[in-house]
Amino acid sequence: MVLLVPALIIPRLVTDAAGPRLTLNPAAQSAGGTVEVRGTGFAAESRGFLSFDSQAKFATFAADRTGTFSLRISVPTGSALGAHAVSAVSGSPRQTLASVQLTVIEPAATPAPNGTYQPTASPRASARGSSKGSSARPPASSAVVARTFVGGRPAVAPETTAGVGGGPDQSASPGATPGGPGPSDQPGATPSPEPTQPPTPRPTPRPTPKPTPKPPPASSGRVPYFDHIFVIVEENRAFNQVIGNASAPYLNSLANSYGLATNYRAITHPSLPNYIAMVGGSTYGITSDCSPSSCPVNGLMIGDRIEGAGKSWRAYMEGMSAPCGTTNGNGYAAKHNPFVYFTPFRSNTARCAAHDVPYTGLAGDLASAVTTPNFVWITPNVCNDMHDCSVATGDAWLRSATSMIFASPAWRTQNSLLLITWDEDDFTSVNQVATIMVGSSVNPGRRSTAYNHYSLLRTVETSWGLAPLAGGDASAAPMRDFFR
């Protein structure tokens, strides 16, 4: 006899095999601000304390039966700007179980409140409010002052004074007796025609002057802390093939409304070394579009730094059929996926599968701010990235992809940045490409000085207080002038 037992589907539990781990939200905060500290992988129901640099027993923690805890701490006032260590320490024997970096940043500037004008109630308004149904009017000496806003400041309109009772002018004609008949009322008198009131001249309206366009606000001179950074890399188009091109109306609208790097250069040719440079800070001597097995890179990349800071990241590859793909097909090109070239990352199968995923997973991850990674890398397929298809095709794809990002809770509720760039131009020695920055912290209409792919990487590192990866990003300037 064979018994058929329905399959029991058990959700996969992800555990941290590396042991205790701390994460911070946010990972950068000003002195006096609040930070959530979350611990995972600790011994069940264990207790200990948190230290802040040399301040032992800064706070205490108690893990639950699953070895996790969450608590909020305040960054000590007077803390110096820069990196600090938050550590979980066991009580006895005293041992540091886990540490994470907290970056102390400058407090955000508080915007000045908008001026609000509240006019004092006029005598007429007071009279109306004296009693219901009352016909009382203000006395002859009272004035009603109409106030309006002109150019952002209150302006006073000319005063108008009404006579007592609101009646006509009481000045007597010549020969009239006050309260009695005038000359035209005398018996036998020929009525004199009423004088015609000349029309009141109306002032000629003045044309409203057009405001002078304001220059972009001055740069703050620093890279803000971002909750999320999105990077989209397009393919093989020079600056002037995109900017000003009528076939790319959407891209040009973003460039006009936000920031555009007008003197931005790729590192070299062909594609692959540029991708490696963007995430590794060096080309590592690669000069061709070789495969991951032919050109392995034994070094660190930006994902390593992000994870080390307790943040999340994920690379989304359009057309890739399975995570961490190293073979081409279905519009996916491995040479446009730099992460799989880094041997320490690719050799860790579980880690690679968790971070290097098909593009189809992006929509689900954008469903909430919590599930949206801090760092999002997007590589379109070889048609949508303009490599094999037209600029118009890439422009339409970008409109769809960025609309999904802009509608996400992470973008709408947190400080996020979108970077759109091209790996290289159309194989010229100039190698100038467009790079567009979009976000609420970006100065609208900003045009920048000379930058390159290493500058883009350094900007990400600077926002989160990450150390450079190699010589290229270490010597590059972050793109500070783009930000408010």
Side-chain angles (χ1 to χ4, degrees):
M1 180 177 180
V2 178
L3 296 177
L4 299 179
V5 181
L8 179 63
I9 300 175
I10 303 175
R12 184 180 63 173
L13 298 178
V14 180
T15 59
D16 190 348
R21 182 177 178 182
L22 297 177
T23 58
L24 304 178
N25 185 26
Q29 180 62 282
S30 57
T34 303
V35 175
E36 179 186 10
V37 182
R38 178 174 173 79
T40 57
F42 286 76
E45 299 182 342
S46 60
R47 295 176 178 272
F49 58 87
L50 298 181
S51 66
F52 183 87
D53 288 343
S54 60
Q55 297 184 38
K57 297 187 179 181
F58 180 71
T60 59
F61 71 86
D64 60 19
R65 284 183 290 180
T66 65
T68 64
F69 67 85
S70 178
L71 57 89
R72 302 185 72 85
I73 63 171
S74 295
V75 180
T77 57
S79 297
L81 299 180
H84 297 263
V86 176
S87 303
V89 182
S90 62
S92 180
R94 183 169 176 174
Q95 179 184 5
T96 299
L97 304 175
S99 294
V100 67
Q101 177 178 297
L102 171 65
T103 303
V104 176
I105 58 176
E106 295 179 356
T110 304
N114 295 327
T116 303
Y117 175 67
Q118 297 178 343
T120 305
S122 65
R124 177 172 291 177
S126 300
R128 279 200 302 267
S130 58
S131 63
K132 185 175 181 180
S134 172
S135 60
R137 296 180 180 270
S141 60
S142 67
V144 178
V145 180
R147 299 176 187 261
T148 57
F149 277 100
V150 177
R153 63 181 185 277
V156 182
E159 297 183 357
T160 57
T161 305
V164 177
D169 187 3
Q170 301 298 315
S171 58
S173 59
T177 304
S184 61
D185 296 320
Q186 300 297 329
T190 303
S192 58
E194 292 186 8
T196 303
Q197 182 74 20
T200 303
R202 295 181 179 180
T204 304
R206 297 180 179 178
T208 303
K210 294 182 178 180
T212 303
K214 295 181 179 180
S219 169
S220 65
R222 63 184 182 88
V223 178
Y225 173 84
F226 291 104
D227 297 295
H228 304 276
I229 298 177
F230 300 82
V231 178
I232 301 178
V233 183
E234 295 286 305
E235 276 278 321
N236 291 59
R237 299 289 175 172
F239 180 91
N240 58 9
Q241 291 178 313
V242 176
I243 302 304
N245 187 343
S247 296
Y250 180 66
L251 276 167
N252 280 275
S253 70
L254 293 179
N256 291 334
S257 300
Y258 294 95
L260 172 65
T262 54
N263 189 15
Y264 185 104
R265 305 283 199 249
I267 303 301
T268 186
H269 296 293
S271 291
L272 178 58
N274 287 292
Y275 281 89
I276 297 295
M278 275 189 271
V279 303
S282 170
T283 64
Y284 286 93
I286 294 175
T287 58
S288 67
D289 287 333
C290 45
S291 67
S293 58
S294 301
C295 299
V297 177
N298 188 23
L300 299 179
M301 47 80 179
I302 186 62
D304 297 299
R305 290 281 191 259
I306 292 171
E307 289 181 69
K311 294 186 173 298
S312 58
W313 73 279
R314 187 165 280 177
Y316 300 86
M317 305 291 159
E318 190 178 29
M320 187 171 69
S321 57
C324 215
T326 58
T327 57
N328 302 332
N330 194 33
Y332 167 71
K335 65 181 181 179
H336 299 163
N337 181 357
F339 304 99
V340 296
Y341 283 79
F342 289 83
T343 302
F345 171 68
R346 191 179 75 247
S347 60
N348 186 331
T349 306
R351 181 183 173 216
C352 192
H355 292 283
D356 198 272
V357 300
Y359 177 72
T360 52
L362 177 60
D365 288 349
L366 290 175
S368 73
V370 174
T371 57
T372 302
N374 299 115
F375 181 77
V376 173
W377 174 286
I378 300 173
T379 295
N381 65 35
V382 292
C383 178
N384 290 329
D385 67 4
M386 306 184 189
H387 186 282
D388 291 356
C389 297
S390 65
V391 170
T393 299
D395 189 71
W397 182 89
L398 277 164
R399 180 188 293 271
S400 174
T402 57
S403 296
M404 182 168 57
I405 293 171
F406 297 156
S408 69
W411 186 272
R412 290 185 287 106
T413 64
Q414 297 181 312
N415 190 25
S416 299
L417 175 68
L418 169 64
L419 298 163
I420 303 173
T421 191
W422 279 253
D423 69 327
E424 58 177 329
D425 70 0
D426 52 343
F427 231 86
T428 72
S429 59
V430 178
N431 219 0
Q432 181 184 6
V433 297
T435 295
I436 300 169
M437 284 195 174
V438 181
S440 59
S441 295
V442 177
N443 270 325
R446 174 63 62 184
R447 300 296 180 260
S448 74
T449 54
Y451 291 118
N452 59 26
H453 287 329
Y454 293 135
S455 306
L456 187 150
L457 175 59
R458 192 73 194 109
T459 301
V460 176
E461 294 166 342
T462 302
S463 176
W464 292 333
L466 308 178
L469 289 157
D473 55 330
S475 60
M479 303 166 79
R480 293 189 178 96
D481 57 325
F482 273 104
F483 304 109
R484 299 177 189 268

